[in-house]
Amino acid sequence: MADPSGVAAGHLVNGSFSLPQPLRAQAGSPAAGSGSALAPVSGDPLALLSWSAPVSHDPVTIALRQTIGANDALRTGSYSKTLTFTLSTTTP
């Protein structure tokens, strides 16, 4: 997963404002095990899961968490970000 936007990479944005804490992500699946710990999203790819052998019909759970500090300024409106999820293989 990555945030390719180039604007406050890894942070939710509301117009020209961004939250100070990065968005964090993790994933898990029955075949891959518990998966990754919560990690900050950035402009660089973040590997959430990997499998040691081919699998099929493996449901994956993705969790996104956003921390809001007690003194963080919040603007009216909504905060959002478009993220890119990539599924790739190194062995066909």
Side-chain angles (χ1 to χ4, degrees), residues 1-4 9 40-47:
M1 172 184 1
D3 173 4
V41 175
S42 69
D44 297 322
L46 171 63

Side-chain angles (χ1 to χ4, degrees), residues 27-73:
S29 81
S34 61
S36 60
L38 276 170
V41 175
S42 69
D44 297 322
L46 171 63
L48 295 176
L49 282 176
S50 65
W51 290 263
S52 59
V55 298
S56 61
H57 305 290
D58 183 26
V60 173
T61 302
I62 298 171
L64 300 170
R65 302 237 171 106
Q66 177 63 59
T67 300
I68 307 289
N71 296 318
D72 290 351

Side-chain angles (χ1 to χ4, degrees), residues 17-33:
F17 300 100
S18 64
L19 293 174
Q21 300 294 324
L23 182 64
R24 297 178 302 149
Q26 75 181 122
S29 81

